[in-house]
């Protein structure tokens, strides 16, 4: 009877809805020796799928912790072991002890056992994955606290998670080189990933970033939109003023516009064309998800002069985009489905790459490219 009970428990674990073989990707093979000749990581669909699985692993690390799972029945490991990675660090929120992130590194030993003698081209040496909000009693308070922080300020820098994630990313970038490191997140985790990646980019450290359903709703955004509309209205009024008032009106117009694109575009293009080419985050959004859908809003007032006068970040360097925006094209969906992580590894995923100007991307990356003027160098006599 005891053995029968053990077998039933094992069967239950195997059928868990979050087990990799139950809800994981169906048509993604584990790496093998063929990847040495033609690496699967060069395929954008494969890369998106695997990185989304790494983020799912972080959700499950916290669920495993909450449900007191052991190494024998833990759900999370298969979500990285399948792709020849290993867990080297967990990121813990000191406020409640919850796991909100993890560093996964290429597992040379596991790869060598399957005759993969070297890391396939394009496979990162390390990935920092960050989960989003987990509506469970041990984590909901701190997760919602950071959600509200973003809602109010459109910034997550005040959270303890920001510093922990930033320190972890700096560490792996120093160990492996920024070109071999990737940061990824879903929902709230995508918000952290964007801001942490941007903070490193300001220091000249550019890591690959993959952001799934990044948050785009905030009170701060709404207030800025009001400011933008006021600035646009003033510009229209200014055009009707006598020419003798033009100089004064220009100064007033500059102050009333929240994002003053015309003031900083020339300096931006002169100083940061190289930077734009180095840090290009990948954003995956669904128009049916009201949390991230505003990333698809076009930049600038929609009139005939908008493209000339309000250039978004996607056009600053002769068509070189500042972010790659992938939009789910399944039509209207329910919110939970549209915001879910699982959609990004589904077999029938249909994406469109959007290269049009995005107002939110422009604003999110504006501070990154408003670089200070170079300091004069003192030459000894």
């Amino acid at each position: 009877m005891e053995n029968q009970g053990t077998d039933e428990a094992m069967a239950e674990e195997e059928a868990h809805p979050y087990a990799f073989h139950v809800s994981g990707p169906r048509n993604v093979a584990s790496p093998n020796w063929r990847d040495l000749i033609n690496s699967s990581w060069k395929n954008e669909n494969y890369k998106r799928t695997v990185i989304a699985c790494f983020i799912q692993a972080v959700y499950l690390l916290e669920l495993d912790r909450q449900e007191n799972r052991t190494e024998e029945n833990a759900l999370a490991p298969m979500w990285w072991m399948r792709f020849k990675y290993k867990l080297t660090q967990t990121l813990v929120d000191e406020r409640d002890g919850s796991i909100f992130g993890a560093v996964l590194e290429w597992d040379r030993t596991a790869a060598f056992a399957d005759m993969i003698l070297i890391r396939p081209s394009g496979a990162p040496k390390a990935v920092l994955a960050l989960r989003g909000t987990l509506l469970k009693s041990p984590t909901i308070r701190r997760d919602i606290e950071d959600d509200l922080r973003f809602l109010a300020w459109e910034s997550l820098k005040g959270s303890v998670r920001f510093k922990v994630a930033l320190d972890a990313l700096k560490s792996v970038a120093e160990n492996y080189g920024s070109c071999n490191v990737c940061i990824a997140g879903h929902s709230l985790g995508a918000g952290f990933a964007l801001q942490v990646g941007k903070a490193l980019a300001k220091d000249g450290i550019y890591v690959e970033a993959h952001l799934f359903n990044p948050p785009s709703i905030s009170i701060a955004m709404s207030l800025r939109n009001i400011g933008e509309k006021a600035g646009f209205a003033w510009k229209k009024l200014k055009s009707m003023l006598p020419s003798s008032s033009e100089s004064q009106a220009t100064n007033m117009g500059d102050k009333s516009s929240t994002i003053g694109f015309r003031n900083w575009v020339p300096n931006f293009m002169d100083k940061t064309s190289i930077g734009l080419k180095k840090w290009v985050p990948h954003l995956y959004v669904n128009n049916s998800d009201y949390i991230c859908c505003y990333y698809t809003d076009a930049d600038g007032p929609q009139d005939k002069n908008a493209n000339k006068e309000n250039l978004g970040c996607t056009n600053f360097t002769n068509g070189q985009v500042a972010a790659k925006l992938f939009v789910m094209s399944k039509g209207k969906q329910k919110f939970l489905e549209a915001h879910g992580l699982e959609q990004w590894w589904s077999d029938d995923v249909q994406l469109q790459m959007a290269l049009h100007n995005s107002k939110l991307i422009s604003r999110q990356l504006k501070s990154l490219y408003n670089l200070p003027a170079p300091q004069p160098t003192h030459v000894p006599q």
Side-chain angles (χ1 to χ4, degrees):
M1 292 294 292
E2 183 177 349
N3 290 337
Q4 182 180 353
T6 303
D7 293 340
E8 290 177 354
M10 292 179 61
E12 182 180 352
E13 291 297 338
E14 292 177 357
H16 195 287
Y18 293 148
F20 182 86
H21 73 279
V22 175
S23 59
R26 301 273 71 84
N27 299 317
V28 178
S30 179
N32 55 57
W33 63 269
R34 294 182 181 86
D35 280 287
L36 302 179
I37 302 171
N38 185 21
S39 174
S40 299
W41 279 91
K42 293 182 178 180
N43 182 293
E44 289 293 330
N45 289 328
Y46 180 88
K47 178 182 290 189
R48 182 196 68 250
T49 294
V50 176
I51 291 177
C53 287
F54 289 166
I55 300 171
Q56 177 72 353
V58 181
Y59 280 103
L60 295 178
L61 277 170
E62 173 56 22
L63 288 179
D64 285 343
R65 183 190 74 89
Q66 292 182 18
E67 297 171 7
N68 298 315
R69 296 181 185 276
T70 64
E71 292 183 6
E72 289 72 23
N73 63 1
L75 297 170
M78 188 53 66
W79 290 83
W80 63 72
M81 291 173 59
R82 178 66 179 269
F83 306 107
K84 309 305 177 188
Y85 279 77
K86 61 182 178 180
L87 176 67
T88 58
Q89 181 184 356
T90 55
L91 276 58
V92 177
D93 188 327
E94 64 183 18
R95 298 170 297 181
D96 58 8
S98 65
I99 297 172
F100 69 91
V103 176
L104 303 172
E105 298 181 7
W106 177 255
D107 190 343
R108 290 188 295 175
T109 302
F112 191 80
D114 283 349
M115 301 303 295
I116 308 173
L117 305 182
I118 59 174
R119 181 170 49 91
S121 176
K125 288 185 178 179
V127 177
L128 172 58
L130 303 169
R131 68 167 174 83
T133 303
L134 193 56
L135 299 179
K136 298 284 186 178
S137 55
T139 56
I140 188 172
R141 178 183 176 186
R142 298 308 182 186
D143 286 358
I144 294 297
E145 184 177 306
D146 283 334
D147 287 326
L148 294 176
R149 185 189 307 275
F150 184 88
L151 177 64
W153 304 111
E154 202 173 5
S155 175
L156 295 165
K157 289 185 178 180
S159 171
V160 296
R161 295 183 183 182
F162 180 88
K163 184 179 186 307
V164 173
L166 182 61
D167 290 344
L169 190 60
K170 281 183 178 179
S171 178
V172 292
E174 290 173 359
N175 290 339
Y176 293 123
S178 59
C179 61
N180 296 312
V181 172
C182 170
I183 186 171
H186 172 247
S187 190
L188 176 63
F192 277 110
L194 175 62
Q195 296 191 6
V196 168
K198 185 170 69 172
L200 278 194
K202 287 182 178 180
D203 293 334
I205 304 173
Y206 303 93
V207 300
E208 189 171 332
H210 292 266
L211 316 172
F212 298 86
N213 301 87
S216 64
I217 297 178
S218 74
I219 297 174
M221 182 178 74
S222 300
L223 293 176
R224 286 178 180 138
N225 286 342
I226 294 172
E228 290 170 20
K229 291 178 180 178
F232 179 62
W234 173 253
K235 188 182 296 181
K236 288 291 187 182
L237 176 62
K238 180 184 69 176
S239 65
M240 296 183 290
L241 295 176
S243 57
S244 60
S245 304
E246 183 173 351
S247 175
Q248 181 180 358
T250 299
N251 292 333
M252 293 176 67
D254 291 344
K255 293 179 181 178
S256 66
S257 176
T258 304
I259 297 187
F261 280 113
R262 296 185 68 181
N263 299 332
W264 64 278
V265 165
N267 291 335
F268 174 94
M269 295 178 68
D270 292 340
K271 298 177 184 178
T272 63
S273 59
I274 296 177
L276 259 179
K277 296 176 182 178
K278 287 187 177 180
W279 199 65
V280 183
H282 299 67
L283 282 72
Y284 305 93
V285 305
N286 189 318
N287 275 331
S288 296
D289 174 11
Y290 62 79
I291 289 180
C292 70
C293 65
Y294 291 102
Y295 273 102
T296 62
D297 283 357
D299 188 22
Q302 298 302 304
D303 65 3
K304 62 182 181 180
N305 296 319
N307 291 333
K308 295 180 181 179
E309 297 186 351
N310 291 280
L311 299 176
C313 283
T314 53
N315 279 344
F316 279 154
T317 55
N318 299 322
Q320 174 67 42
V321 297
K324 291 184 179 180
L325 182 65
F326 298 90
V327 182
M328 179 69 75
S329 55
K330 274 189 175 181
K332 191 169 182 60
Q333 297 173 275
K334 294 182 179 179
F335 167 72
L336 290 180
E337 181 183 4
H339 190 66
L341 182 59
E342 186 173 348
Q343 66 182 306
W344 302 111
W345 66 71
S346 64
D347 293 337
D348 60 344
V349 62
Q350 297 178 2
L351 297 180
Q352 296 176 346
M353 186 172 175
L355 295 179
H356 65 274
N357 295 347
S358 166
K359 178 187 297 185
L360 196 51
I361 291 175
S362 297
R363 186 169 70 246
Q364 290 281 10
L365 300 184
K366 174 187 174 184
S367 63
L368 174 58
Y369 301 119
N370 264 350
L371 298 182
Q375 298 297 317
T377 303
H378 175 71
V379 179
Q381 299 295 328

